[in-house]
Amino acid sequence: MSQPAVFLDRDGTINEEMGYINHLSRFRLLPQAVPAIRRLNAAGVKVVVVTNQSGAARGYFPAALVDEVHGHLKQLLAAGGAQLDGIYTCLHGPADGCACRKPRPALMEQAARDLDLDLARSYLVGDRYKDVETAANAGAKGILVLTGYGRGEYEYLQAAARVQPVHVAGDLLEAVEWILQDLGKI
Ligand SMILES: [Mg+2]
Ligand SMILES: [Zn+2]
């Protein structure tokens, strides 16, 4: 039977929003990332990162850097006893018209097929209304975190947003605690 999952945006949600991560040295985990993901692991909830990384398509860095960053991310999480069930990345630019660039739902749909996930009972946590829209487009629930771009998005874009989140959380750990309660896991 397909199961619910927690999808996570990357920049501004798991790691510090730094603009383009055009070098490994610019990748810094947010302090709540390891405990939040470990909490989901312990509850038996699948955790999947969905991220737009158009920097290589724009010519800012080689596409291989994205893999390098994700290898580093996995290592940092593993060192804290946390792990991801998948990382799904859109490497296209905005003008490419691909099906996977958020707010389009193809990354989440692909993960759902690969991992047998029930999107209607799943969540996407992100720091932008674009993430909240992605969740809605996939038939999942969007949660906005106030890290990264989140505080500014919430303060200045909330009124104009086409889709509102089911919950607004201070950071990823608070979001995860809310989700686990919503899922009836605590
Ligand atoms: Mg983000
Ligand atoms: Zn794409």
Side-chain angles (χ1 to χ4, degrees):
M1 205 183 95
S2 58
Q3 49 180 326
V6 174
F7 291 87
L8 304 177
D9 167 53
R10 197 191 82 178
D11 301 333
T13 301
I14 295 177
N15 54 284
E16 267 182 55
E17 174 54 60
M18 301 277 274
Y20 291 98
I21 304 291
N22 70 340
H23 193 272
L24 195 57
S25 61
R26 281 166 65 76
F27 185 89
R28 299 198 194 130
L29 274 188
L30 287 168
Q32 311 84 10
V34 164
I37 293 167
R38 204 168 48 208
R39 193 93 174 75
L40 291 168
N41 295 152
V45 179
K46 291 254 192 313
V47 191
V48 178
V49 170
V50 284
T51 179
N52 287 350
Q53 296 298 329
S54 64
R58 294 176 201 264
Y60 297 163
F61 49 78
L65 177 65
V66 176
D67 286 335
E68 199 184 332
V69 168
H70 290 167
H72 183 57
L73 165 61
K74 287 181 208 167
Q75 275 181 356
L76 292 173
L77 293 178
Q83 61 171 38
L84 300 172
D85 294 285
I87 302 179
Y88 289 77
T89 309
C90 170
L91 291 172
H92 303 104
D96 291 339
C98 70
C100 50
R101 186 172 165 81
K102 295 183 293 181
R104 298 189 188 105
L107 294 179
M108 291 176 70
E109 290 167 351
Q110 185 61 50
R113 284 191 294 272
D114 293 347
L115 302 170
D116 193 21
L117 307 175
D118 180 358
L119 289 176
R121 290 191 295 144
S122 294
Y123 305 80
L124 169 58
V125 184
D127 68 322
R128 305 193 71 171
Y129 279 100
K130 189 174 66 187
D131 297 303
V132 176
E133 257 184 67
T134 310
N137 290 340
K141 302 170 201 179
I143 293 176
L144 186 72
V145 281
L146 299 180
T147 50
Y149 286 118
R151 195 165 289 280
E153 292 252 330
Y154 186 55
E155 192 161 334
Y156 302 120
L157 301 184
Q158 183 192 15
R162 290 193 295 146
V163 185
Q164 296 300 327
V166 297
H167 183 64
V168 178
D171 58 44
L172 184 54
L173 188 55
E174 287 181 25
V176 164
E177 293 295 337
W178 188 88
I179 288 167
L180 290 175
Q181 216 151 40
D182 199 45
L183 281 171
K185 301 254 183 199
I186 43 176

